[in-house]
Amino acid sequence: MTQRAELAAVVDRLAVDELITAYAVAVDDGDWTAYQRLFTRDGRADYRSAGGIEGHAGQIAEWLAESLALFSMRQHLIVNRRVRFDIMEHDTGDTASVRADYLNPMRFATDDGPTAPDLVCGGRYGFALLRTPEGWRLREVVVEEKWRRLPAQGATTP
């Protein structure tokens, strides 16, 4: 690999990392316009393993806005990111896939002051990305919730 190719690979990895971070921030901040801009025009997400829905990014943004309104605090951490780049025959540009683990503590909206999270869940994301003229975008997000804990109830599974 030439130095130029190595530099391009580093730049792509940084851009992909920024996209995944922007995804987490948009969800945590409830910025559903920003959330939708992270996706390709035909981008989809699947939250069914976490009790949600599957659909195009606009449908998912509406569902998330309604579902997450219950929580005044969301602190979505996406870690252990494993990135793979590919060029697929039928694509018009470069593609990438990311598998990453997540930890998501949330607190129900109440008038009480800061308290510990009411709900904590964790699992794994599968992200499929496409390089577009606007930069890297999400083509697909699949959530695989592996566990959920409500402090009063102990650990449960989805």
Side-chain angles (χ1 to χ4, degrees):
M1 186 179 271
T2 68
Q3 254 187 337
R4 185 176 297 241
E6 288 173 1
L7 179 59
V10 169
V11 168
D12 278 338
R13 283 190 181 275
L14 289 170
V16 165
D17 188 68
E18 177 63 27
L19 180 64
I20 301 304
T21 298
Y23 169 88
V25 170
V27 172
D28 290 347
D29 291 350
D31 187 344
W32 308 118
T33 301
Y35 176 90
Q36 291 180 72
R37 282 195 304 258
L38 299 172
F39 285 82
T40 60
R41 253 183 263 134
D42 61 345
R44 301 185 67 75
D46 183 348
Y47 288 82
R48 290 178 293 183
S49 77
I53 64 169
E54 186 273 334
H56 66 76
Q59 288 173 306
I60 298 299
E62 289 174 12
W63 173 78
L64 285 170
E66 184 178 318
S67 300
L68 295 180
L70 298 172
F71 301 97
S72 62
M73 183 279 295
R74 299 183 292 270
Q75 191 176 24
H76 195 191
L77 308 171
I78 302 177
V79 299
N80 301 332
R81 300 171 192 200
R82 293 162 310 278
V83 180
R84 193 179 97 212
F85 293 97
D86 290 311
I87 298 175
M88 299 176 72
E89 271 180 51
H90 304 293
D91 285 336
T92 58
D94 295 337
T95 63
S97 60
V98 178
R99 293 200 34 93
D101 298 323
Y102 71 87
L103 176 65
N104 189 8
M106 298 183 283
R107 183 175 52 241
F108 288 115
T110 66
D111 291 332
D112 301 341
T115 61
D118 296 304
L119 170 71
V120 182
C121 59
R124 182 161 291 156
Y125 276 113
F127 295 99
L129 292 80
L130 178 67
R131 184 195 315 264
T132 71
E134 296 79 35
W136 287 97
R137 294 293 183 264
L138 298 168
R139 175 186 274 170
E140 181 181 55
V141 175
V142 177
V143 174
E144 179 188 346
E145 186 175 278
K146 294 184 175 203
W147 61 271
R148 179 180 293 189
R149 180 175 51 100
L150 297 164
Q153 298 175 344
T156 63
T157 55

